[in-house]
């Protein structure tokens, strides 16, 4: 401890307050400065001295300290020349340490690294093969262009070295050098030398040569480096038996890329690879499985060997399941693919996939999946008993999956359907909420698969209606009630009970409820007319979900114009659902089989889907089937269990789909004023296509939606047999009086100067922002105060908080002459790049003309981002207000506001701030309001109006929002709108 305020006490006292004694010379004056000076010249200085020591042991210790410092992240690059000097040693350990240091710092000190080149060259001719290999390995790891040219000669010698250890190291070094400078490797002929090494007498050299060539071939898929032929394949298979585990994996992966010329060669390779299945290393086993799965495609099923191979593949896969859970999971993911391709391999091994009590959840779920894939008539009783057991477990996710599995078994194995349904009914009787919900979801699918067979259970399902609280289960139950409405006496009451909280339901339930009630109406028109009117009104007028509104309008039009057609559409016969909907699509499955034992087989995605910047990934596929019997392939071989002719058409892979999207011929761009296009993007558009004005007309045909598009507006007539909706007729469908598409537009601030002429070589820009009928625009005034003409104007925005971007180019049709002013309205959209700005409403703009590029930033008022469908329904408002945490609430004061509550409400509504409810509490008016921003953020407000002096009132504003950083800017918008 330091006593900075005085000398340290002399002796240690009885409490041990000081642990050392300090002696002072008489007459010495003490100052505090001695604590801040040190005789040590620092750690680097000491290490430097030790590195230059004559004693070998001291030198080695110093290099170890340097490596230790480097490892923990200290910068010891200053010692580069001193460490390099230590290379001149016979001590292998010291040499290794120095080389380690070199690899780390050569990139940052390339000029210094060249000093070491001579030592490398010398070490490559050292009598000790370990030192020769070490030198060539290190040179390959130093990724400095200046050094690579010096590496060529030593590398050439090491590739032909008499010692196999040096040759195998040099082979990998070629791949590293190719990554740094591909051209150099090709010019120096290293690739040919590498190909020659495939015929090397040492199996490890062969394995490393294969690994290096495979690595190079991956980055250059067009080059035919691994030109495999029967002779080279024979050499690889000979080396396979004597390699290390890694070597065997490299060779097996290489074999998997080979295409045998006929089935005899394929069988020969399979016979020689089969012993690898009994290897102790799981990676070797999976690589062998990959080769066998691929070459089995070429074998005829009539061959005795084919059946033998199937039997040999099962035990190693089963053995993998006795490893630790993480390895089990990888094995299970691979087995999942194998079972989809060839279920016959493991059809007798169902028991190993039964779940153990101590399996982690990820292993349990994977095993469950494979159990269903292997389920057949022979083992279904065993599987069902097991699944019923799982459904009583404590792990909720696992139980859900088990209940779903029972349903999937019913769909897959028709003979078991009855037993599955009774098992599900037993589970429903347990009254465990989540079990009941999952059971109802799968019973819906069973009804789809076997119509008119198990409908007797509907009564039991209806008893559990009240306990359903999950969207999927509610939607399934509603579907069942709508589909079988004619068999359920009180179907209308059941559906009406769901309708009471329509707006609180999820979209999935709302859509299902709409369809179910329309089905019910078509089956029982006289009793349910009011109900169908109610649901159509809720879906079209009171909902802000476009999918729901569109479906509502389609049903409305169908019912009003042609009830017969409506019946044909809504009550059409449904196609039976397929046996297994979750099978991987066949072409993708074939590709994934080629990647068994890699990450792709765990993700169940091709490498191109998750490897970033993957240079030229080649899409692999299985070889085409050969042999006489393949044309009459048995149904067992089809992955879905269906005959091959019924398999789905080939779906392009993700990459291909993207390519197709980009290559779509979308036709010429629609010409027309840019403002129109921006308003289409912004949202206050008539989704029916007739323009807002056509909604208010009573003509049947409407008007064309947009000239040149070829669409005409559907009829806007009310359904004849339904009567008008409960509100004030179709004119109010979009609640025009309530502010959606309000034509008055929001408050527009006067223009201010954004870019003064003196900062922009004579160009002055003034502007403001406005929002009219859902379209945002930047209104600009450009004045030329220079002495030269300005032309070629363009504008660009930087990324900003709400993605504001120009929706059209800046169009100034004639050059801007000196002292001339032009006024432009630039349409904006909110689909640009997003980045949080400070302040949030900051917008950085660049304007270019023939003189220069000029930059300025401005603040846009947030109310231009308030959208027209920002009115929240009352119950939703109440629920959302409670749901948002109290810490997200912000309080503000607006003083001296000369407006009454009605005037405030009306003024704010002009800027898309909607009053949801109003009440008077003890003489104070309270307005509850909602608004929605273009990015979907809702803001809820409580506005308390306190009467002040006769003509002015003070307003208290409380804002609640899930993104509280928005509140300050919403308050500014309130103040701006109310005080102008």
């Amino acid at each position: 401890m330091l006593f900075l305020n005085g000398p340290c006490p002399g002796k240690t006292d009885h409490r041990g307050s000081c642990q050392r004694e300090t002696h002072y010379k008489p007459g010495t004056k003490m100052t505090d400065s001695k604590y801040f000076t040190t005789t040590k010249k620092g750690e680097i200085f000491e290490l430097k001295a030790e590195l230059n020591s004559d004693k070998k042991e001291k030198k080695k210790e110093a290099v170890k300290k340097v490596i230790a410092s480097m490892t923990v992240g200290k910068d010891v690059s200053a010692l580069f020349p001193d460490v390099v000097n230590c290379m001149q040693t016979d001590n292998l350990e010291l040499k290794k340490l120095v080389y380690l240091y070199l690899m780390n710092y050569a990139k940052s000190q390339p000029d210094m690294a060249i000093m070491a080149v001579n030592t490398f060259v010398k070490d490559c001719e050292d009598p000790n093969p370990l030192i020769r290999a070490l030198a060539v390995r290190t040179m390959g790891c130093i990724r400095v262009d200046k050094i690579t040219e010096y590496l060529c000669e030593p590398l050439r010698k090491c590739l032909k070295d008499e010692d196999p250890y040096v040759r195998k190291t040099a082979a990998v070094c070629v791949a590293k050098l190719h990554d740094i400078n591909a051209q150099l490797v090709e010019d120096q002929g290293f690739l040919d030398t590498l190909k020659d090494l495939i015929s090397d007498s040492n199996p490890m050299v062969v394995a490393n040569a294969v690994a290096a060539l495979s690595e190079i071939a991956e980055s250059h898929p067009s080059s035919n480096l691994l030109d495999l032929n029967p002779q080279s394949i024979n050499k690889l298979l000979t080396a396979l038996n004597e390699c290390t585990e890694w070597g065997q994996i490299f060779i097996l992966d290489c074999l998997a890329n080979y295409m045998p010329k006929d089935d005899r060669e394929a069988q020969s390779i399979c016979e020689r690879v089969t012993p690898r299945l009994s290897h102790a290393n799981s990676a070797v086993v999976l690589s062998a499985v990959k080769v066998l799965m691929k070459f089995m495609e070429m074998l005829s099923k009539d061959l005795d060997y084919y059946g033998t191979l199937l039997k040999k593949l099962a035990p190693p896969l089963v053995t993998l399941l006795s490893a630790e859970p993480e390895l089990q999971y990888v094995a299970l993911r691979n087995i999942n693919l194998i079972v989809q391709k060839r279920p016959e391999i493991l059809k007798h091994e169902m028991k190993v996939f039964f779940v153990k009590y101590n399996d982690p959840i990820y292993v349990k779920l994977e095993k469950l999946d494979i159990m269903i894939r292997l389920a057949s008539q022979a083992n279904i009783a065993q599987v069902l008993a097991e699944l019923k057991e799982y459904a009583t477990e404590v792990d909720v996710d696992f139980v859900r999956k088990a209940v779903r599995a029972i349903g999937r078994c019913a769909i897959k194995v028709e003979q078991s359907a009855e037993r599955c349904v009774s098992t599900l009914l037993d589970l429903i009787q347990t009254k465990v909420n989540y079990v009941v919900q999952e059971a109802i979801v799968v019973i819906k699918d069973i009804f789809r698969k076997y119509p008119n067979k198990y409908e007797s259970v509907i009564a039991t399902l209806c008893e559990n209606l009240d306990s359903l609280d999950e969207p999927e289960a509610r939607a399934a139950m509603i579907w069942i009630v709508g589909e079988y409405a004619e068999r359920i006496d009180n179907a209308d009451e059941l559906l009406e009970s769901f309708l009471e909280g329509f707006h609180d339901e999820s979209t999935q339930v709302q859509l299902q409820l709409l369809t179910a009630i329309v089905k019910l109406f078509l089956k029982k028109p006289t009793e349910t007319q009011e109900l169908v009117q109610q649901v159509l009104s809720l879906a079209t007028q009171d909902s802000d979900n476009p999918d729901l509104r569109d479906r509502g309008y389609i049903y409305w039009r169908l019912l009003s114009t042609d009830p017969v057609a409506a019946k044909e559409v809504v009550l059409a016969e449904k196609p039976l659902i397929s046996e297994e909907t979750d099978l991987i699509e066949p072409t993708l499955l074939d590709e994934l089989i080629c990647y068994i034992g890699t990450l792709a087989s765990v993700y169940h995605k091709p490498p191109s889907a998750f490897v970033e910047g993957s240079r030229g990934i080649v899409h692999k596929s299985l070889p085409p089937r050969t042999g006489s019997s393949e044309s009459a392939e048995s149904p067992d071989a089809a992955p879905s269990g269906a005959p091959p002719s019924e398999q789905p058409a080939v779906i392009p892979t993700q990459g291909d789909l993207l390519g197709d999207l980009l290559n779509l011929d979308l036709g010429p761009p629609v010409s027309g004023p840019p403002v129109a296009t921006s308003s289409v993007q912004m949202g206050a558009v008539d989704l029916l296509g007739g323009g807002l004005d056509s909604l208010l007309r009573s003509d049947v045909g409407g008007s064309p939606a947009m000239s040149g598009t070829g669409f005409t507006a559907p009829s806007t007539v009310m359904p004849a047999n339904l009567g008008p909706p409960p509100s004030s007729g179709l004119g109010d469908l979009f609640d025009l009086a309530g502010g959606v598409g309000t034509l008055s537009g929001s408050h527009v601030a006067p223009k201010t100067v954004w870019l003064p002429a003196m900062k922009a070589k004579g160009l002055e820009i003034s502007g403001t922002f406005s929002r009219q009928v859902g379209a945002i625009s930047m209104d600009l005034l450009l004045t030329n105060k220079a002495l030269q003409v300005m032309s070629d104007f363009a504008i660009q925005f930087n990324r900003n908080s709400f993605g504001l971007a120009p929706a059209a180019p800046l169009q100034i049709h004639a050059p801007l002459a000196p002292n001339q002013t032009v006024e432009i309205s630039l349409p904006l959209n909110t689909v640009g790049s997003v980045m949080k700005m400070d302040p949030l409403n900051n917008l950085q703009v660049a304007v270019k003309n023939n003189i220069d590029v000029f930059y300025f930033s401005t603040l846009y008022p947030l109310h231009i981002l308030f959208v027209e469908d920002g009115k929240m329904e009352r119950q939703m408002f109440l629920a959302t207000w409670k749901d948002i945490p109290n810490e997200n609430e912000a309080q503000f004061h607006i003083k001296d506001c000369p407006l009454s509550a009605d005037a405030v409400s009306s003024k704010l509504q002009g800027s898309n701030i909607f009053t949801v409810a109003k009440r008077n509490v003890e003489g104070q008016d309270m307005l509850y309001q909602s608004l929605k921003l273009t990015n979907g953020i809702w803001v809820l407000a409580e506005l308390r109006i306190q009467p002040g002096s006769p003509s002015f009132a003070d307003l208290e504003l409380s804002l609640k929002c899930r993104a509280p950083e928005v509140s300050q800017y919403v308050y500014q918008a309130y103040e701006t709108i109310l005080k102008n």
Side-chain angles (χ1 to χ4, degrees):
M1 182 187 287
L2 292 178
F3 292 85
L4 293 179
N5 295 327
C8 177
K11 293 270 184 190
T12 308
D13 66 7
H14 67 281
R15 291 185 302 277
S17 61
C18 179
Q19 296 300 316
R20 63 178 172 216
E21 191 175 338
T22 310
H23 300 282
Y24 304 118
K25 289 180 187 171
T28 308
K29 189 180 176 189
M30 285 299 299
T31 64
D32 289 345
S33 63
K34 78 177 189 76
Y35 296 114
F36 299 97
T37 59
T38 172
T39 52
K40 280 176 75 179
K41 293 286 190 298
E43 196 179 358
I44 297 287
F45 187 82
E46 284 184 2
L47 285 171
K48 200 179 187 79
E50 287 177 29
L51 287 168
N52 293 313
S53 165
D54 297 333
K55 294 177 183 168
K56 282 187 179 177
E57 216 37 58
K58 204 167 187 184
K59 218 178 229 189
K60 192 158 89 175
E61 285 305 310
V63 175
K64 282 185 178 175
K65 284 181 191 171
V66 171
I67 297 293
S69 300
M70 182 178 89
T71 309
V72 297
K74 288 182 187 169
D75 182 17
V76 282
S77 57
L79 298 168
F80 200 94
D82 305 286
V83 177
V84 170
N85 285 339
C86 298
M87 281 174 79
Q88 312 292 340
T89 176
D90 301 330
N91 185 315
L92 186 62
E93 188 185 357
L94 180 55
K95 207 175 261 296
K96 276 186 179 175
L97 291 169
V98 174
Y99 280 175
L100 198 60
Y101 176 89
L102 266 175
M103 281 188 234
N104 199 38
Y105 282 116
K107 195 148 195 178
S108 60
Q109 307 232 3
D111 297 332
M112 287 282 201
I114 290 183
M115 290 164 49
V117 167
N118 282 337
T119 315
F120 282 129
V121 175
K122 215 160 93 185
D123 282 355
C124 284
E125 294 177 1
D126 195 277
N128 183 342
L130 290 175
I131 288 182
R132 295 202 298 275
L134 182 62
V136 79
R137 178 190 291 137
T138 310
M139 283 181 89
C141 291
I142 295 176
R143 303 176 64 83
V144 175
D145 286 335
K146 290 180 181 175
I147 288 184
T148 45
E149 55 201 69
Y150 296 108
L151 174 59
C152 297
E153 227 27 67
L155 181 57
R156 186 174 283 107
K157 285 179 186 168
C158 289
L159 281 166
K160 295 191 165 71
D161 198 281
E162 64 202 25
D163 191 285
Y165 181 72
V166 180
R167 292 200 301 279
K168 86 177 183 80
T169 309
V172 176
C173 188
V174 173
K176 289 178 179 173
L177 186 58
H178 188 274
D179 194 39
I180 303 166
N181 190 338
Q183 196 57 48
L184 181 71
V185 170
E186 287 163 31
D187 295 346
Q188 294 283 340
F190 287 143
L191 295 179
D192 297 326
T193 318
L194 210 49
K195 287 179 191 173
D196 295 341
L197 288 181
I198 289 183
S199 312
D200 198 276
S201 56
N202 185 290
M204 271 318 299
V205 177
V206 175
N208 276 18
V210 166
L213 284 168
S214 303
E215 181 80 23
I216 294 168
E218 265 184 29
S219 57
H220 291 71
S222 52
S223 63
N224 193 14
L225 285 176
L226 275 164
D227 186 13
L228 298 173
N229 51 43
Q231 290 74 32
S232 56
I233 288 293
N234 191 34
K235 286 170 187 164
L236 291 182
L237 286 165
T238 308
L240 186 62
N241 300 323
E242 300 167 41
C243 280
T244 62
E245 295 165 351
W246 282 109
Q248 291 184 31
I249 293 166
F250 290 140
I251 291 174
L252 287 167
D253 286 351
C254 180
L255 288 171
N257 293 328
Y258 175 62
M259 187 68 73
K261 61 178 188 293
D262 56 24
D263 55 346
R264 281 180 60 190
E265 189 185 358
Q267 182 175 336
S268 161
I269 293 172
C270 287
E271 283 169 352
R272 294 178 71 179
V273 167
T274 308
R276 299 298 105 214
L277 291 173
S278 54
H279 200 285
N281 186 306
S282 51
V284 175
V285 173
L286 283 175
S287 292
V289 169
K290 170 169 58 183
V291 175
L292 297 173
M293 285 291 290
K294 189 167 180 181
F295 291 167
M296 275 172 82
E297 287 290 305
M298 299 184 72
L299 301 179
S300 163
K301 290 193 169 184
D302 302 337
L303 283 173
D304 292 342
Y305 180 69
Y306 182 85
T308 313
L309 197 52
L310 284 180
K311 285 178 190 158
K312 282 185 177 174
L313 274 167
L317 293 172
V318 170
T319 307
L320 289 175
L321 297 182
S322 56
E324 51 267 35
E326 294 79 6
L327 278 179
Q328 275 188 57
Y329 178 73
V330 172
L332 287 164
R333 292 293 281 173
N334 280 278
I335 289 169
N336 200 323
L337 295 174
I338 292 163
V339 165
Q340 287 184 57
K341 186 69 187 168
R342 299 200 179 281
E344 61 270 32
I345 293 175
L346 288 160
K347 66 181 177 186
H348 299 304
E349 304 291 346
M350 176 63 89
K351 279 193 174 173
V352 298
F353 299 107
F354 285 176
V355 170
K356 298 190 182 82
Y357 76 95
N358 58 349
D359 279 340
I361 182 69
Y362 55 88
V363 170
K364 285 181 175 177
L365 296 177
E366 209 54 44
K367 281 184 173 178
L368 207 52
D369 214 25
I370 295 169
M371 279 171 66
I372 299 155
R373 298 207 191 287
L374 291 174
S376 64
Q377 204 174 333
N379 58 24
I380 194 72
Q382 201 181 13
V383 172
L384 273 180
E386 194 72 13
L387 291 176
K388 193 172 180 182
E389 193 70 32
Y390 299 162
T392 58
E393 289 265 348
V394 289
D395 193 315
V396 177
D397 286 339
F398 181 53
V399 171
R400 285 174 181 278
K401 187 104 177 188
V403 175
R404 293 225 171 184
I406 295 170
R408 280 173 64 186
C409 287
I411 289 164
K412 188 177 182 198
V413 186
E414 187 168 350
Q415 294 78 358
S416 74
E418 199 157 329
R419 190 183 290 172
C420 291
V421 171
S422 67
T423 306
L424 288 168
L425 287 175
D426 289 349
L427 291 172
I428 289 175
Q429 296 309 327
T430 63
K431 301 290 181 192
V432 177
N433 191 300
Y434 54 87
V435 175
V436 172
Q437 310 213 49
E438 288 295 333
I440 286 173
V441 171
V442 295
I443 286 175
K444 177 201 74 172
D445 290 338
I446 293 171
F447 286 167
R448 284 284 307 275
K449 177 73 177 170
Y450 309 112
N452 306 318
K453 209 166 180 186
Y454 301 107
E455 280 75 14
S456 53
V457 307
I458 291 175
T460 315
L461 302 183
C462 291
E463 288 168 17
N464 294 283
L465 206 70
D466 299 335
S467 66
L468 306 181
D469 54 16
E470 290 171 14
E472 200 176 359
R474 289 172 77 82
M477 192 66 226
I478 290 166
W479 182 87
I480 291 169
V481 173
E483 190 65 21
Y484 300 103
E486 68 279 11
R487 303 179 188 213
I488 304 170
D489 298 333
N490 61 337
D492 50 346
E493 288 172 27
L494 296 176
L495 291 176
E496 200 166 1
S497 69
F498 282 105
L499 205 57
E500 287 162 11
F502 185 78
H503 287 300
D504 299 330
E505 300 284 7
S506 71
T507 307
Q508 182 184 9
V509 177
Q510 290 176 332
L511 288 166
Q512 202 58 263
L513 191 54
L514 173 61
T515 304
I517 290 175
V518 171
K519 281 180 188 173
L520 176 66
F521 171 71
L522 290 168
K523 290 174 181 179
K524 302 178 178 178
T526 49
E527 304 155 39
T528 55
Q529 194 159 334
E530 272 184 38
L531 189 62
V532 80
Q533 278 186 7
Q534 194 182 346
V535 77
L536 287 173
S537 166
L538 284 168
T540 54
Q541 294 174 48
D542 303 343
S543 169
D544 58 1
N545 183 315
D547 292 343
L548 188 62
R549 281 211 306 261
D550 285 358
R551 190 181 290 193
Y553 281 123
I554 287 168
Y555 285 155
W556 201 317
R557 300 268 165 85
L558 265 172
L559 293 171
S560 59
T561 51
D562 192 349
V564 178
K567 215 164 195 168
E568 284 174 11
V569 171
V570 182
L571 301 179
E573 197 172 318
K574 287 156 199 65
L576 297 182
I577 60 174
S578 64
E579 291 186 8
E580 286 199 35
T581 50
D582 63 336
L583 279 171
I584 293 174
E585 185 273 319
T587 48
L588 175 58
L589 180 63
D590 285 355
E591 186 177 354
L592 292 176
I593 292 288
C594 299
Y595 285 111
I596 282 176
T598 67
L599 264 182
S601 67
V602 180
Y603 289 158
H604 288 188
K605 289 178 180 176
S608 52
F610 61 85
V611 178
E612 281 187 20
S614 44
R615 292 180 292 177
I617 280 187
V618 183
H619 287 289
K620 298 184 181 180
S621 60
L622 295 177
R625 293 198 66 85
T626 56
S628 57
S629 63
E630 310 317 304
S631 55
E633 193 177 320
S634 70
D636 289 351
S640 64
S645 59
E646 291 176 23
Q647 279 187 16
V650 173
I651 301 169
T653 61
Q654 255 175 318
D656 295 343
L657 279 174
L658 188 63
D660 290 350
L661 282 173
L662 295 174
N663 294 332
L664 277 178
D665 180 15
L666 297 172
V670 180
S671 58
V675 177
T677 58
S678 76
S679 64
V680 169
Q681 286 170 346
M682 282 317 301
V685 190
D686 173 19
L687 294 170
L688 296 178
L692 287 167
D693 53 343
S694 70
L695 276 175
L696 301 171
R697 282 197 235 122
S698 58
D699 62 325
V700 175
S703 61
M706 277 183 268
S707 59
T709 57
F711 292 113
T712 53
S715 162
T716 52
V717 164
M718 287 299 303
N721 56 341
L722 297 180
S727 77
S728 58
L730 200 63
D732 265 338
L733 277 181
F734 280 90
D735 189 14
L736 288 176
V740 175
T742 177
L743 299 170
S744 62
S746 59
H747 163 73
V748 181
K751 291 188 178 77
T752 54
V753 175
W754 287 342
L755 183 67
M758 59 188 293
K759 285 190 178 176
K761 299 184 181 175
L763 174 66
E764 183 179 275
I765 300 179
S766 307
T768 186
F769 294 91
S770 63
R771 183 185 184 95
Q772 300 286 340
V773 200
I776 307 172
S777 56
M778 180 191 251
D779 302 323
L780 298 168
L781 202 64
L782 274 59
T783 306
N784 181 357
K785 294 190 176 180
L787 299 173
Q788 65 187 100
V789 174
M790 294 182 181
S791 60
D792 305 331
F793 285 90
I795 192 165
Q796 200 170 340
F797 293 177
N798 197 358
R799 292 189 295 170
N800 53 79
S801 306
F802 293 90
L804 276 176
L810 185 62
Q811 292 182 334
I812 300 173
H813 297 295
L816 199 59
N819 294 321
Q820 190 184 347
T821 298
V822 64
E823 204 164 344
I824 305 145
S825 184
L826 177 72
L828 306 181
N829 60 33
T830 52
V831 295
S833 299
V834 174
M835 180 174 78
K836 191 174 177 183
M837 302 294 287
D838 187 22
L840 206 63
N841 58 341
N842 188 17
L843 180 65
Q844 297 173 340
V845 184
V847 173
K848 179 181 100 56
N849 63 13
N850 59 329
I851 298 171
D852 205 346
V853 180
F854 309 106
Y855 303 93
F856 64 89
S857 65
T858 179
L859 301 177
Y860 49 88
L862 211 65
H863 63 260
I864 63 164
L865 303 173
F866 298 171
V867 296
E868 282 65 26
D869 59 351
K871 186 168 186 178
M872 200 178 262
E873 194 260 335
R874 285 188 184 201
Q875 279 82 10
M876 178 62 85
F877 182 94
L878 201 61
T880 310
W881 185 277
K882 287 178 184 170
D883 194 36
I884 296 173
N886 287 335
E887 55 265 28
N888 283 22
E889 187 172 349
Q891 309 277 351
F892 302 98
H893 285 276
I894 302 172
K895 295 197 168 187
D896 300 334
C897 183
L899 297 168
S900 66
D902 290 341
V904 165
S905 179
S906 169
K907 197 159 192 177
L908 291 171
Q909 186 162 298
S911 292
N912 296 335
I913 299 173
F914 300 99
T915 301
V916 176
K918 176 186 169 186
R919 61 193 181 115
N920 190 289
V921 182
E922 297 172 359
Q924 293 183 347
D925 285 323
M926 309 275 279
L927 299 179
Y928 296 94
Q929 299 178 316
S930 69
L931 63 96
K932 185 168 135 192
L933 295 165
T934 50
N935 59 1
I937 292 175
W938 284 90
V939 182
L940 310 187
E942 180 189 73
L943 195 59
R944 189 191 296 265
I945 302 171
Q946 296 178 319
S949 59
S951 57
F952 287 93
D954 283 347
L955 274 56
E956 276 184 24
L957 177 65
S958 296
L959 296 175
K960 257 193 170 187
C961 175
R962 293 192 197 280
E965 59 269 27
V966 170
S967 300
Q968 175 67 34
Y969 303 94
V970 173
Y971 153 68
Q972 289 169 9
Y974 262 88
E975 194 165 46
T976 306
I977 295 162
L978 292 173
K979 290 195 172 181
N980 288 285

